[in-house]
Each structure stands twice: as C-alpha cells, then as structure tokens.
Amino acid sequence: MAAHLKKRVYEEFTKVVQQQHDDLSTKKLRLTKPSKSAALHVDLCKATSPADALQYLLQFARKPVEVESVEGVVRILLEHYYKENDASVRLKIASLLGLLSKTAGFSPDCIMDDAINTLQNEKSHQVLAQLLDTLLVIGTKLPDNPSVRMRLVEVACKHLTDSSHGVRNKCLQLIGCLGPVEKGVTKETESQAAKDVQKIIGDHFNDQDPRVRTAAIKAMLQLHERGLKLQQAIYSQACKLLADDYEQVRSAAVQLIWVLSQLYPESIVPIPSSNEEIRLVDDAFGKICHMVSDGSWVVRVQAAKLLGSMQQVSSHFLEQTLDKKLMSDLRRKRTAHERAKELYSSGEFSSGRKWGDDAPKEEIDTGAVNLIESGACGAFVHGLEDEMYEVRIAAVEALCMLAQSSPSFAEKCLDFLVDMFNDEIEEVRLQSIHTMRKISHNITLREDQLDTVLAVLEDSSRDIREALHELLCCTNVSTKEGIHLALVELLKNLTKYPTDRESIWKCLKFLGSRHPTLVLPLVPELLSTHPFFDTPEPDMDDPAYIAVLVLIFNAAKSCPTMPALFSDHTFRHYAYLRDSLSHLVPPLRLPGRKLVSSPVSPSITPHEDPSQQFLHQSLERVYNLQHLDPQGIQELLEFTIRDLQRLGELQSELAGMADFTATYLQCQLLLIKALQEKLWNVAAPLYLKQNALASAAAKQILEETYKMEFMYSGVESRQVVIIHHMRLQAKALQLIVTARTTRGVEPLFGMCEKFLQEVDAFQRCFISELPHMQGSFVDKLLDLMPRLVTSKPSEVVKILQTTLRQSTFLHLPLPEQLHRATANIIEPTGESDNPLRFTSGLVVALDVDATLEHVQDPQGTVKVQVLYPDGQAQLIHPKPADFRNPGPGRHRLITQVYLSHTAWTEPCQIEVRLLLAYNSNRSKASARNPKSTWSESLEALPPSENGIEGTIPFSKPVKVYIMPKPARR
Amino acid sequence: MPEIKVTPLGAGQDVGRSCILVSIAGKNVMLDCGMHMGYNDDRRFPDFSYITQNGRLTDFLDCVIISHFHLDHCGALPYFSEMVGYDGPIYMTHPTKAICPILLEDYRKITVDKKGETNFFTSQMIKDCMKKVVAVHLHQTVQVDEELEIKAYYAGHVLGAAMFQIKVGCESVVYTGDYNMTPDRHLGAAWIDKCRPDLLISESTYATTIRDSKRCRERDFLKKVHETVERGGKVLIPVFALGRAQELCILLETFWERMNLKAPIYFSTGLTEKANHYYKLFITWTNQKIRKTFVQRNMFEFKHIKAFDRAFADNPGPMVVFATPGMLHAGQSLQIFRKWAGNEKNMVIMPGYCVQGTVGHKILSGQRKLEMEGRQILEVKMQVEYMSFSAHADAKGIMQLIRQAEPRNVLLVHGEAKKMEFLKQKIEQEFHVNCYMPANGETTTIFTNPSIPVDISLGLLKREAAIGPVPDAKKPKLMHGTLLMKDNSFRLVSPEQALKELGLAEHQLRFTCRVHIQDPRKEHETVLRVYNHLKGVLKDYSVQHLPDGSITVESILIQATAHSEDQGTKVLLVSWTYQDEELGSYLTSLLKKGLPQSTA
C-alpha cells in the first residue's frame, strides 16, 4: 500500500512539475505533450549525487529524442549544467548537447547562444573541449549562416590560448571546419576573426604539443578541402614540419606539402644553401621522396602513395627516383640492370656472372658523391625494397600512376617492376603484375626482362598465373626469340597446370595477333614441318598443339603469307578448330584448295556477322509461320530450337541470345504440345493417366520462365513482360489441368480466384506494355475479364481453355546484350579415384574453385549444393569474401565446403554443384516499377505456387569420391 | 666540462676483434668483446690489460654489452670473463644468448681439438661465462645501476643483432654493432628512434659502397639454381652455419614452394641444425612476412629442405646442397665439391667473400685446375658463380641511420681507415656534426653540453606560468624561485618552501627612505594630501589610509612626521620590502617630485 501511495505521489509530483514548467515557458518551449524534457528534469532533480545524475544521463542518451522536444531538453540540460559541480556530469551534458543538435530536422541556432555562454565560466579543460565539439556540430548544422560561423570561429580563437592540448585541438578543428572560406565574408564582418584564419592556424604549426600541431595541419587541409586557396607562404612552414619528431605530424605535413604542390606547381622556390631556384612541384616531389625513407612506416606509406599523383613533376626529377648511383670502394659501379641491358644490346647471351664481373670501373670524384641527396634520388628504389609490404604496394601503385602518364618513365621503371615479380608477398607480386599490365601500352619488353616475367608462370598461385596471362595478352615483345620463349614457357605452364588451358589459349591468341611478323619466321619450327619430309600429324586433342595452332592462326590473320607454310593437316585442323573453338580461332582468308569445299567455311567467309544473321533469320521464320498446321509448327519449332542451341555452342558471343530464344521457343513448343493433347476431348475420368504430360509441361514452362528471368544478365522489361506472360499461360494451363482432374468445385474456387488476381497484377505491372500485346492470351483475357470475374469456376476454365488455344504467340524482341550466367567448377575436378577419407561425424573441408560469368551480385545469389547419395542435400552459402572479381562480368569463387556424414561401408560419390538463388520478390519487373503491387499479390499465391524463392542449378555437377570411416574407439 | 671518452681496444680502423671502451659520466662500459680471425697469437683477443694492469676488471667496468653472436663480437668473452676475470653483468639479447655459446663451443673445439692449442678457455668456462649474461628484450630499458641504463634496438644484421643505447642522466651513446638497413628474406631493417644521442658509434664496413638492389641479386641467384636443377645438375652452396645460410634457405624454400619444384634441398647437419632450431624459436626477431605467416606455418620449419647425409652426394638427379664451411677450404663442402667438380652440368655458388688461398678464392678467380693434397689435379668443369649476400649497411644506409638518430657526434669503427676517411668527410659535410675515427688504443674525448634537469613544484610552475604571456615552447622563460641542491638532486621551489625545508627563519629586508616635502599644514592634512595624490596616480593599486595616520600602498607603508627643526617640512617615511622594490622605488621617485599644488 505504501509503495502504491508513493507511486501515486510520484506521479502527481511529476505532473506538477510538468505543469509548472509549461506555465513558465509555454511560449518559448511550445511543449504540447508531456515530453521527455520534463521526465529528464525530474530525474536530474532527483539525482542526489553526481554519479546518479550521470547514470540518468547515460540512460537518457540511449533513447532517441523527437525533433519537437529537442529544444526543451536542451534547456533543461543547460539549466542543470550551470548547477552541476561535477566535471564528469558536465562533460556528459556537453556531449549530449552535441548529440541532440545532430537530430535531423532540428535547427540548433536557438541554442547556440547558450552553448557559447557555457564556455565562459568553464574551468575543466575536458568539458571545454567537449563544448567546443558541440559548437562544431552546431556550426556544421548551420552551413549557410556566415555570421553564426563567424561567431563560433571567434570563440574558438579566444580559446586557442588554453593550456590544454585538447581544447586547442578542438579549436583548430572548429576553425578548420567553419572558418570563412571566401575572402568577401571576412571584409564584411569587422571582427577579430576577420583576421586571416590561415594565419591563425599557421601560428599553431609550432605549438609545443604534437597533437596540436597535427590538428593545425589537419585544419589547414580541411580548409583546403572546403575550397579555400591556401597561401604559398605556408609551404616553407610545412617543409620544416617534415623534420618533426612525431610521426603523425610528419604524415600530415606530407599531405599538406602535396596539396601545396598541386596548388602552386609552377611557382619558383629557392634551394637552400645555393642560389639556384626550382619549381615548387619539383621541390615538393624531392621532399616527399625524401620521406620515403622515413623512420616510421606510416609516413613512408603516405609519402609513397602521394608520389603517384604528382604528375606535373619534371621528367629528370622523376627519373632520378629510379636512380641509385652504385659505388664500390669509391669507384663507380654499374647496376645489375645496366649490365643486363648492356649484355643484351651487345648481342651476347647471358654468360652467367663471374667473380668480379661487377668489378667497379672508374674512380669517382669523392666530392661529387652525394650520399643523402636533397633530391629525389632512389626514392622508388628504397620504397620497393622496404621492409613493410604496405610501403612496397604503395610504391608499386605510385610507380604505376606515374608510368601511365610518362612513357619514358614507364620504360625506365620496367626493370624495377619486373623485379617486384619476385617479392615474397603474393599481394605485392600480384599488384606489380597488374601495374605492368596497365602500363603495357607504353613499353616493350626486352628479352631478359621477358625471361624474368615468364619465370613467374610457374608460380603455384592461380591468381598470379592468370594475372600474368592477362599481362602477356597486352605485352609487346621485341624479338622472335621472345615470342618463342613465351610460347615455350606457356607450354611448360600448361603441362604443369593443365587447368590453365583456357587462359593460356586466350593469352596466345592475343600474343599471335599482336606479333604476326615475329611469329612468321617461327612457323616451320613450331609446326615442325620439313621442306622435304612429311612429318607425322600431331595429335589434335593435345592442348599444347592447340595452343601452338591458336598462336599461329591468330598471327596468320594479318599475315597473308603465312598459310603458305602450312601443311595439309594444318588446314584440316584449322577447320576443326574454327568450328570447335571459334572464340579463339579467327576467320582466315585461306587460298582456294580444299578449304573452300569444306562444309563450314562458306558460312564463315562472306559476311561480316553471319551467325547473327542466321539467328535473326531463323527467328523470323518462326514468327512468320503462325498459321501453319500444328504439326508443321511443332516441327519448325523443334528444328529452330536445335539450330539455336547449336549456334549457341559455336558462337560464344551469341550463346546468351541463342539460348534465351531457344528456351522461349521451347516453352512455346511445350505449350503447343500440351494443348494438342487429346485429353481435352476425352471424358474427365480418363485423364488421370494422360494429364501427366500436360501438367509436366506446365511445370517445366514455369521453371524455364524463372530461368529466363533470373539467369540472364541484360534482360530488359520488354522481355520480362513476355516471360511473365508465358508464365501466366503456364499457370492457366495448370488451372485447366487441375480443373479437369479434380472433383468438386471447392478447391477450384480458390485457384480461380488466385489466377484472376495474378492476371490483375500482371495488368497493373505491365500496363505500359499491353498495347504491344495485341491478340495475345492476356489481351484476350483482359477483354473477357468482366465476364470471368462473375462466372463460375467451370465457366472460367472453359473460357481459359479456348483463349489459350486461340491466342497467338508473341514475338520475343532481343535485347542488345544478353548473357547467360554460367559457372564452371574447376576444382574439384571429379577425376580423382582416391576417395576423400574422413572419420564419420567429423568434418572434412572440400576446396571448391569455380569461375562464374555474368552473374549479378554473386555474393547474394550463388550457393553451393552438395548432394549425398542418400538423397540428402545440403546448401552452403559462401562467404562474401570468397568471391573475387578478376574482370567485368567475371567472378571467381574460391571457398571451402564442409562435408560430413555418418559412416559408410564403401566410398561413394557425392555431387557438388552451384545454384543460383532467386527471389521473385526481387524480380526485375518489380524493381523497375516501384509502384507495382506485384510482390504483394504474389504473397497471396497458393503454397504450391510458392516458387517465389527458388534455385536454378547453373553449373555441371561435379562428383567427388568420399568415404566417411567409422570412428575408431 | 663533462666528457665522453671512447677507446677502441679492437675494431678501431679495423675489421674484427670488436671491443670498445666507453666512459660516460663516470660509468665505464665495454661494448662487444670479440676475437680477430686473422691472428692466432695474443693479438686475436683485445688487450684487456689496457683497462687495468692488476686487479679484477669488475672494479673498473660497470657492464659489458654484446651486440650479436658473431665471433668477432663475442669471441673473447669467456677469456675475458673467466681467464682475465670479470664478474659484472654482461648484456645481450635473448637470441644472442641462445646462439652465442654454440658458436663459442665450436670455436673452442676447432682451436683446441684441431689445432691443439693449450691455455684456451674450456667448455666449463663458456658455461660459467654465460651465467653472467643478462638477457634483454628489444626496446626494454634496463637499469644497470641507478644511473646507467641501456636499451636495445633492432639491428637486422643477424638473428638477435641489436644496437644499444647507453644512457647516464641525459648523456647518451648509441652503439650500432653491425647492422643492415635493407631488409632481407628473414630479417627486417635496422630501426632507431630520434633519440639524439651525444655520440653514435657506427660500424662502417661498407663505408664507400652503395649497393645494388637486393632483388636483382636474389633473382639472379634463384634463376641460376632453377636452371641448373632443371637441367638435372647439382648445386653446391658453401655457407657458414649461421646468418646468410638461413636467408638462402628461406629464399630457396619459398621459391620451391612457389614454383612447385620437387628437386631435394639438403642442409649439412651439425651446427646449422641447432641454429635453425633457434631461428624457429625467435620468430619475433625476424621480418614482417615470417612474423605474419608463422601462425599458419613457421617459415623455418622447412618443407623442402632436409638434413644431408654423406651418401646423398652420389645420388643421381638434381639436388641443392648447403654445406659448411663457406670458403671451401675444408670439411664437407670441399668433399662434395671434389665429387661434383667434374661435371659441367653442376654448379657451385659462392654466397660470400673468400679469403685468399682458399679453394673458394681460387675457383672464383677463374682457376680451372686445382692442385689438391697428394698432388692430385682436380679439373673444375662445373660452373662457378658468385653472389654477394651481405648484411651490413652500405654508405647510404649508414647515412640513413645517422639521419634517423640525429646524433651530436659520430664515431666510426669496424671498417678500413681509408674508407672511413671518406665517410667521415661525408658525414661532416652533410650533417655538420663532428665525426671521429680513432685507431685501436687511441682515446677520443667528446665534450658534451648536458642539460641539467631540475624538478619544479607544480604549484610554483603554474603560478609563474600564469604571469606574463602564454608559454611558448621555442622561447626561454624567466621564472623566480629558489634552486635547492640537496641529496644530489636539483629542485626549484618557492622561497617559502625552501626556507621551510632548510629550517631557516625568514629574514625580512626592508628599505626605508625619507622624503622631505615642503608643506606647512598639519601632519594629518599632509597625509591626506599624499593619500589623495597617490590615489589619483596609482589607480590600479589599493591605497589605504589607516586610522593611525599612515598610508599603505599594497604592502608599502608611508608615514609622515613633522621635521623636528622645520615644521614647514614634513618627512615622509617610505618603507618597503625587497619584493616590492619596483613599486617602492617608483613611489619614492614619485613623492620626491613633490605633491601637486593643492587647488584648495
């Protein structure tokens, strides 16, 4: 009872306070409902100790505050702030103020004065710093109020003399974020802050506390980011900061110098201790280069990164970065690179190094040797040799960017990049290979460099090898020996890693087409032809032989004299390869002879893109022949489907389109077949057996439509309409079949309802497309809609049946680009006869390596399925990090699948395959029409139709032999 | 003036027998205690009699610091501590402490067992000596005694190699030992912070050399080995047990791993195996890559590298063998060399310098026919390659270290005089610091200008800081206080506290001054006039008229009495303490000017 009373009292008490409060400041606060501010006030009044108050505040901070009551809450907090003696509570209040002013929709200008006032009497440095932080938040919330900002900056300037670094830090931050950027503003307001902000900040470059120095530089950078043009005078100050004791200061200073060098690249600065002058950007470049050998790796990374973006630097400075004058016992020595080059240019092959081969040559004038150059000497040499791989990567990146803009530099940095191919960290190797590829248009590889590059082909990492293949695709080689060397090494690679086949063939294709003249003299040797003797015909299935042919044929494309060197079987092989690997073997203009008569060649030679034409022709044919007898239609469809499928196999670039249309036609064929069934004429009880075909057809059509919708990238809304239309037809078919086979009207009732809803939804979704669908199923259906809605299920079914039969079949317009999502499991290969043994009940990890093409958002959609022999299926979601993106439209899945099973007596095979998960809620149609209620209506579908979420297998299953052994006891 | 004295007993303008004496602020420290490889007589050890003719060395040395385990830096240690006699602490890093006794024992065996020398230190002596060793961690500040402290920095020369900072008060010396500024396959680069020592003692082996990128060397090495192995040839790499051998192992191991090679790599057993064990243990002392990957695999647990057996040398097929010693002058490497020399498919790679007269030197200089013992002539058909893998800083590296540490003086040791000369000149020119290069036994004296730290009480500091402008780090500031030198420490305290602590009574010093004013009026009227006048002039001070007829301005007292002889003249008595000297003298001069003519 007492407790109850107490509660009552409390309640009343609360109320009183609220009213009082409202009475006192109704106009000011505009509080309409018992707000949080009142509750907070009560809490704070109740608090007996600072710790209590702090607790209340902490609790309060967890809940969001609605916009209307923010101001009230702020007032209460401020009120309490003045009363509070404990610094920690004040600190919390100050931070709360900042949080509250961040509330969206709240304009903090009304509380600014109060916030500034609080600063006045504050003694605690921490609270001061927090309050300044709050002011910063307020200032950033009021971006278009220069006078407010001015005031805040003024306040900040006042506190710059504070003895605590935290306060000075915040002040500088505030000035950096809010300081006036345009010159005009400063003139209008005749205040103290009108002083140049840059000067104020610049004064703190020499602060005694390193944190404040960093803050000052950061504030300066912030000003720059906000569009203020920094003065050039700062440059000399910043240069001094490069020698600071603290790494964060140096790091920030490097950034500042970089900014200035971008602002005033052409200004002239004097070189200290001499009367020469150089461009500012060169000077800055030299200084940043110097920082590449700094003691702190953070600074080194920073410096190396920034070097890359200094493209205005003069070329002789740039080239110095790769120069490190060698000497030995005071005599000039040539670098290994120079020696290699010389060796190469003298036409001599590497003889191996001798003792004293690198013996120093001429004496160096001791005065001229500069051990610590003020310039850029050897910056990259140091950066690339750095201990931390972060620095090395940054240096490689910088090298890449500079080389892209300067061909001569690209030529020079080649040696160093090639060296990086042997780095101990794979990431660095990969990065340097990529870099090399990016600058490959600027460079030609010398033989000795090529040698080093090719040595990496034996790397056991697939990523590295593939990157290298990509690199070779776009490399210029200078000699025929180089080509030969590359071919030999690639073939070696092929025998060592047979899985690289495709990648190597592709690489040779480009290598051949880039260097036709270099390949020409090699042809006899490569084909091992002999002027007098016939040589045995090589094995056509040998990947190495195919590789050689790919190289030769691609070279022959732009070298008409080459085919003369081919032997007979080469021509035959050409025909075969042109057919089987059409994406690798180009069409060749071969001299008359047997080739012309070969069945495939006529279709190749004349037109520029016959296959495309063929595709369209066959489709035309199908679409034109609508009114033939059903038998004829069926046959034509069957032929066309076969043709298209074959075309898809042959022409990889058309595969997507051909498959897509073939699938569509297949659906159509199924539909026609289903409707042709005799069952429709037979009395109901006899259907039971025969309807299997019709319902199976309906089901298959449904499946195919999902495939069409989700497996192809580049499907446009025009196609989506037709796919959905096809699906609707399939559903109608299903409905008819069920109507025929089930007894009783009750279940039908519901189904009809659903179907009509779907038609409705279809209409709503694709209203804009309906005019294009004259005479189609849906068109007719919509005409009959009023009748359908009112009629009985049996009636509906009858109408549907006739409409379905009468409707014409729609043209499927083809989009520009259409690609089918494909997946290829590279590992496991499924060839192993050794079962993977593991103890039952425990887990074994199976490495899965697959390439995915044209899959959008693979992280979300691609799953791995494992099928056990007992029919048990397991679905695994790979981690997002398991996907890599080597190129546009391509993905690579490298993951581990964990298998487990109870003990078996015998090893058995499991199947691993990749699935593409789809969700029709995310369907492309609804994505395009945000207003549509398509998804909502789908939710009301019957469970049997609940294929909203499903999966499409899109890779060939791979069999893995496993053997769970019983656990030994 | 305080000074630091440095006397090299070894390694002064010379390589080998590193031993440097440093006296700093009354403390004597010996840096390294090595032997000389070139001598077999007394000259092989430093001359410890320089320190003291008779008596224990312990009394003269505060501590001994060993930078790394190479014998030219630690070889004389048992002799020094056990035979000459030293019981003080010896400091070295953990890996050095672990590996050092193995090498010493090996050295002892060769000298005593093989060469049959007597009067050499025994195994027991090595053990006893190692008991005196105190192991230190990187960047750990070790307090040797109350004033002397040492701190180790990473040097990257061999496993566990360290640079040491020796500090007494605010005077400090950094001794680099041997160090390497370019990271290699198993060790990182030397690093030091901006400790600004008074003296940096640096090695200068490669004072006149700027080396090529290590990548070229590595690549060449790997390519040679790879090609030979692919040809089916055998590769012999003669190495010394520790240091470079591990680097080359890592290099080959990772290469084999990367390239999926199958040919076997062998490592001659013995010392190396033991050493590898320590490399496995001291992963934290290696480079970034090894440190980061050791969770998956310890890089020193070689997959492809196996222990060598003598019988393997006759096996057919390709192989790579690391064998000791490094100069092919004896032992296993020479045996294998003799077996393989005849086949042109094979190759020998010399990874380091070879002393004249050794087989290694002969074949490197191109000799193809060697005369072996017993007048046999060995025809060398195998390929001979030279690859230099050296872990000393080159001239650029040395300069870089100096730039990092910013010493006030530099002293060069462990190098040839002629080369040092060049570097010395460079250092003086670039950094504008003094550079020294004493010969053995020559003492260099460096005068330091130590700043003396004084403790100041926070109250006093705050009070004094509050007066005048904001403190600026770059400008000296004037403060008032009392310097108290007591118990060997300096403190700056306020006068009151100083008095209290010293038990002294405070004496007041007052200045009194009489000012004569012509004023015929009554005394109290004069006082009133003075009061009004002062009040008008000194607006910022509290001027009070006390009931007893005197005036106080702050703490200055003014009283007026009539002149005993001339009533028209009033005598103003102005009295102030010495703290108010400024105000007092101002008041006096003000009053001397006389009162303004009253308008009344």
Side-chain angles (χ1 to χ4, degrees), chain A residues 734-751:
Chain A
Q734 246 176 355
L735 181 62
I736 299 166
V737 175
T738 9
R740 285 253 155 174
T741 49
T742 41
R743 307 251 152 220
V745 197
E746 278 310 310
L748 270 188
F749 227 72
M751 283 187 73

Side-chain angles (χ1 to χ4, degrees), chain B residues 355-563:
Chain B
V355 170
Q356 211 157 20
T358 57
V359 176
H361 188 263
K362 279 181 200 152
I363 57 171
L364 277 179
S365 46
Q367 223 169 305
R368 285 323 222 168
K369 285 202 173 125
L370 298 174
E371 199 181 305
M372 311 304 284
E373 312 107 62
R375 299 233 176 125
Q376 282 176 311
I377 299 283
L378 182 68
E379 199 171 344
V380 182
K381 284 187 186 155
M382 78 198 296
Q383 296 176 57
V384 179
E385 296 291 346
Y386 171 71
M387 290 280 149
S388 126
F389 284 86
S390 179
H392 289 276
D394 63 358
K396 264 201 149 170
I398 296 171
M399 298 301 259
Q400 208 181 330
L401 188 89
I402 296 175
R403 189 161 72 95
Q404 270 183 23
E406 293 188 5
R408 280 182 272 276
N409 295 285
V410 179
L411 191 143
L412 299 177
V413 292
H414 201 280
E416 291 162 34
K418 217 180 95 200
K419 297 179 179 176
M420 278 186 186
E421 196 71 57
F422 164 77
L423 191 67
K424 173 179 177 248
Q425 172 208 337
K426 280 288 152 198
I427 291 170
E428 282 174 346
Q429 190 183 323
E430 295 273 345
F431 297 106
H432 309 291
V433 297
N434 289 326
C435 186
Y436 307 90
M437 35 175 284
N440 284 337
E442 184 185 335
T443 304
T444 305
T445 310
I446 289 149
F447 296 102
T448 57
N449 196 5
S451 47
I452 298 161
V454 174
D455 291 333
I456 181 169
S457 76
L458 189 65
L460 181 67
L461 178 69
K462 278 195 173 166
R463 203 168 68 208
E464 289 290 324
I467 307 168
V470 194
D472 188 336
K474 308 278 153 149
K475 283 182 193 152
K477 188 172 161 73
L478 199 67
M479 287 193 158
H480 296 269
T482 315
L483 186 68
L484 218 58
M485 290 164 66
K486 207 172 146 192
D487 310 333
N488 218 356
S489 71
F490 297 92
R491 278 185 308 144
L492 195 65
V493 294
S494 59
E496 301 85 52
Q497 201 186 339
L499 286 170
K500 219 172 91 191
E501 273 185 40
L502 298 173
L504 297 174
E506 189 176 355
H507 292 270
Q508 277 223 355
L509 190 64
R510 279 198 94 85
F511 300 94
T512 313
C513 184
R514 287 167 199 275
V515 183
H516 296 260
I517 296 177
Q518 294 298 322
D519 191 14
R521 268 164 278 203
K522 284 264 170 61
E523 282 173 14
H524 68 267
E525 277 173 30
T526 315
V527 171
L528 209 62
R529 274 186 65 200
V530 170
Y531 171 68
N532 286 335
H533 171 57
L534 290 180
K535 192 139 182 134
V537 177
L538 304 167
K539 287 200 176 78
D540 294 341
Y541 298 88
S542 73
V543 184
Q544 280 177 319
H545 188 201
L546 298 179
D548 65 344
S550 54
I551 303 168
T552 55
V553 179
E554 303 277 318
S555 62
I556 299 166
L557 189 77
I558 304 172
Q559 278 177 326
T561 47
H563 200 271

Side-chain angles (χ1 to χ4, degrees), chain A residues 161 206-208 213 242-245 250 290 293-296 300 323-331 333-337 339 350-356 358 366-373 377-378 381-382 384-390 392 415-416 418-426 429 448 451-452 455-461 492 496-497, chain B residues 154 182-192 194 196 207-220 222-224 226-227 230 250 254-255 257-261 286-289 291-292 352-354 361 363-366 383-388 394-396 399-400 403-404 406 418-419 422-423 425-426 429-431 470-474:
Chain A
T161 52
N206 295 324
D207 197 280
Q208 57 178 346
R213 291 200 290 271
L242 284 180
D244 201 277
D245 281 9
R250 290 200 299 268
H290 204 56
S293 48
D294 191 85
S296 149
R300 293 203 296 266
D323 188 25
K324 184 177 170 189
K325 293 218 166 41
L326 301 189
M327 59 175 192
S328 171
D329 292 351
L330 288 180
R331 275 175 295 176
K333 221 169 85 173
R334 288 166 309 144
T335 63
H337 289 150
R339 268 179 274 137
S350 174
S351 59
R353 196 173 331 164
K354 287 180 205 114
W355 162 260
D358 57 348
T366 49
V369 181
N370 219 3
L371 288 178
I372 290 243
E373 289 84 349
C377 262
V381 180
H382 285 292
L384 293 176
E385 273 187 17
D386 199 275
E387 183 184 358
M388 311 298 283
Y389 82 94
E390 291 90 343
R392 297 201 294 269
D415 279 324
F416 294 90
V418 170
D419 279 350
M420 293 307 285
F421 284 16
N422 282 320
D423 196 272
E424 52 194 350
I425 306 257
E426 179 172 334
R429 294 202 293 269
D448 57 309
D451 204 27
T452 325
V456 185
L457 275 176
E458 289 192 43
D459 202 294
S460 57
S461 153
K492 231 195 246 174
K496 205 161 174 182
Y497 306 99
Chain B
Y154 192 77
T182 44
D184 62 31
R185 287 284 166 154
H186 73 308
L187 296 173
W191 181 86
I192 196 164
K194 226 173 244 192
R196 300 200 173 90
T208 53
T209 303
I210 300 177
R211 268 180 305 161
D212 201 355
S213 134
K214 65 167 178 140
R215 285 177 196 287
C216 297
R217 267 177 290 149
E218 284 178 6
R219 199 190 55 210
D220 272 6
L222 292 173
K223 209 171 125 194
K224 298 254 162 70
H226 189 193
E227 274 170 4
E230 271 201 341
I250 290 267
T254 39
F255 187 72
E257 186 90 8
R258 254 181 72 199
M259 297 305 187
N260 244 334
L261 298 179
T286 53
N287 73 3
Q288 189 193 20
K289 155 102 180 172
R291 267 183 286 140
K292 288 209 165 151
Y353 179 74
C354 288
H361 188 263
I363 57 171
L364 277 179
S365 46
Q383 296 176 57
V384 179
E385 296 291 346
Y386 171 71
M387 290 280 149
S388 126
D394 63 358
K396 264 201 149 170
M399 298 301 259
Q400 208 181 330
R403 189 161 72 95
Q404 270 183 23
E406 293 188 5
K418 217 180 95 200
K419 297 179 179 176
F422 164 77
L423 191 67
Q425 172 208 337
K426 280 288 152 198
Q429 190 183 323
E430 295 273 345
F431 297 106
V470 194
D472 188 336
K474 308 278 153 149

